[in-house]
């Protein structure tokens, strides 16, 4: 609980700094860029060499895609049943399937499972959430937003292969058997320890809680699907693997993360119910401070039987 309290205080620091008016408007973007270009690659190079390859590593790679397919169909069907406006359906199609598995997930994994478990979160995030953001969200925007410039295979591919953490992950996997020079090892270790505080302060900067009129039902259903239904489905999918494995627990834990901040930003920029998208992210993070400890305790009970 102390680790969770520290995360909450980091979040509060960012929230307060934003509202003092003393920081530049782009402070959150600057912190995000630092995480993407420095801290996260540092974690990748620090943790990936210790990764032991096995077929079980496919679990955090495959599960996010199964959940994405299920949640996308589920939201689409709900949109038809409730006759939600097109922009609301588009916003939920982006915000519900894509979880905050890095900017919020990594600090939470470290708080509950320790820093060594982040490597499983990296697999879930990079091969699941990130590819989902790059490919799936692009398709949703193309279908639900009126735009002149349609995304192309080349533009999506370029977005993926030039993403710094993805490049770092590929290099780290290719050089896994090598011993890093001491100066490089010290560099990546020092960058890695900055990941959690910088990420959480950046998240605090970006929190928004204004609830748009008439969106209470889609917001409630969207968050219940993301925070409750998706981890329960993952528990069912992985029941045969047992729950005493850290890899399995982290995979389920990642599936319970709130909506991704970047996904919310993408939906906002695409004009898909901007205030609902912002509320999904803001309230999602707030409620996750309650739901994630419950998920963790549930997993400990399951692993004990």
């Amino acid at each position: 609980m102390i680790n969770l309290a520290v995360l909450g205080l980091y979040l509060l620091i960012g929230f307060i700094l934003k509202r003092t008016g003393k920081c530049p408007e782009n402070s959150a973007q600057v912190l995000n860029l630092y995480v993407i270009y420095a801290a996260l690659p540092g974690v990748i190079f620090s943790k990936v060499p210790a990764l032991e390859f096995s077929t079980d590593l496919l679990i955090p790679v495959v599960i996010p895609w199964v959940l994405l397919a299920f949640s996308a169909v589920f939201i689409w069907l709900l949109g038809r049943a409730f006759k939600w406006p097109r922009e609301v359906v588009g916003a939920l199609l982006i915000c519900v399937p894509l979880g905050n598995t890095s900017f919020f997930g990594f600090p939470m994994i470290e708080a509950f499972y320790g820093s060594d478990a982040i490597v499983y979160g990296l697999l879930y995030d990079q091969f699941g959430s990130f590819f989902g953001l790059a490919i799936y969200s692009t398709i949703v925007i193309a279908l639900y937003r009126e735009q002149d410039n349609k995304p192309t295979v080349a533009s999506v591919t370029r977005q993926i292969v030039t993403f710094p953490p993805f490049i770092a992950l590929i290099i780290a996997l290719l050089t896994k058997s090598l011993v890093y020079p001491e100066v490089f090892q010290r560099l990546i270790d020092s960058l890695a320890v900055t990941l959690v505080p910088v990420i959480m302060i950046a998240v605090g900067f970006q929190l928004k809680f204004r609830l748009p009129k008439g969106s209470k039902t889609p917001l409630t259903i969207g968050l219940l699907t993301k925070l409750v239904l998706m981890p329960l489905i993952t528990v069912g999918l992985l029941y045969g693997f047992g729950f005493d494995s850290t890899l399995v627990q982290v995979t389920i834990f990642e599936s319970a993360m709130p909506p991704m901040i970047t996904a919310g930003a993408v939906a906002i920029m695409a004009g898909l119910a901007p205030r609902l998208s912002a509320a999904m992210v803001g309230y999602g993070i707030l409620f996750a401070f309650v739901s994630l400890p419950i998920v963790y305790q549930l997993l400990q009970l399951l692993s004990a039987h």
Side-chain angles (χ1 to χ4, degrees):
M1 291 302 293
I2 292 178
N3 290 337
L4 190 63
V6 170
L7 292 184
L9 290 173
Y10 284 143
L11 196 71
L12 184 62
I13 289 171
F15 189 76
I16 292 173
L17 284 175
K18 170 70 174 178
R19 277 139 191 84
T20 61
K22 302 294 184 181
C23 299
E25 282 297 315
N26 67 338
S27 294
Q29 287 78 6
V30 172
L31 292 175
N32 289 342
L33 286 173
Y34 168 78
V35 168
I36 290 170
Y37 281 88
L40 193 47
V43 171
I44 291 169
F45 280 112
S46 177
K47 302 300 180 184
V48 167
L51 192 63
E52 294 294 333
F53 287 113
S54 69
T55 53
D56 287 350
L57 292 181
L58 290 174
I59 291 174
V61 174
V62 173
I63 286 296
W65 290 100
V66 175
L67 293 176
L68 187 149
F70 166 81
S71 57
V73 172
F74 184 63
I75 291 298
W76 182 78
L77 291 173
L78 286 176
R80 290 177 64 88
F82 285 97
K83 295 181 170 56
W84 287 333
R86 186 177 178 82
E87 66 167 9
V88 169
V89 176
L92 292 181
L93 281 173
I94 290 177
C95 292
V96 173
L98 300 174
N100 200 336
T101 52
S102 59
F103 276 69
F104 194 73
F106 296 162
M108 282 295 179
I109 291 171
E110 182 173 284
F112 285 93
Y113 292 98
S115 60
D116 289 341
I118 289 179
V119 69
Y120 303 127
L122 278 167
L123 293 175
Y124 191 107
D125 177 72
Q126 290 296 291
F127 292 108
S129 302
F130 171 64
F131 276 107
L133 177 68
I135 300 170
Y136 166 77
S137 69
T138 305
I139 294 172
V140 172
I141 289 171
L143 294 173
Y144 283 83
R145 173 196 181 193
E146 295 296 330
Q147 55 182 351
D148 297 327
N149 299 320
K150 299 293 184 182
T152 64
V153 174
S155 65
V156 173
T157 302
R158 184 165 54 251
Q159 183 179 351
I160 293 171
V161 300
T162 59
F163 190 59
F166 182 72
I167 295 172
L169 180 59
I170 298 302
I171 294 174
L173 288 171
L174 292 175
T175 60
K176 184 178 182 296
S177 60
L178 302 179
V179 177
Y180 297 147
E182 185 178 353
V183 63
F184 183 71
Q185 186 65 54
R186 290 199 178 188
L187 172 65
I188 60 177
D189 288 345
S190 62
L191 289 173
V193 297
T194 67
L195 178 74
V196 171
V198 174
I199 277 184
M200 293 306 293
I201 290 172
V203 169
F205 259 94
Q206 299 169 85
L207 284 182
K208 294 180 181 179
F209 298 103
R210 294 178 62 187
L211 186 61
K213 185 179 179 180
S215 64
K216 189 176 294 184
T217 298
L219 177 70
T220 302
I221 292 177
L223 289 179
L224 284 174
T225 302
K226 186 73 197 76
L227 299 176
V228 180
L229 184 58
M230 289 175 70
L232 287 176
I233 290 172
T234 311
V235 168
L237 290 171
L238 298 180
Y239 187 83
F241 291 90
F243 300 102
D244 54 349
S245 161
T246 301
L247 182 148
V248 169
Q249 289 205 19
V250 169
T251 300
I252 297 169
F253 202 62
E254 282 281 62
S255 74
M257 291 300 156
M260 183 192 295
I261 291 177
T262 310
V266 166
I268 291 168
M269 288 186 290
L272 298 175
R275 291 179 63 188
L276 172 62
S277 299
M280 281 287 294
V281 172
Y283 283 103
I285 289 174
L286 188 66
F287 294 146
F289 272 95
V290 176
S291 63
L292 287 174
I294 294 174
V295 171
Y296 175 78
Q297 292 299 328
L298 172 64
L299 292 173
Q300 303 320 301
L301 289 174
L302 289 172
S303 66
H305 290 82

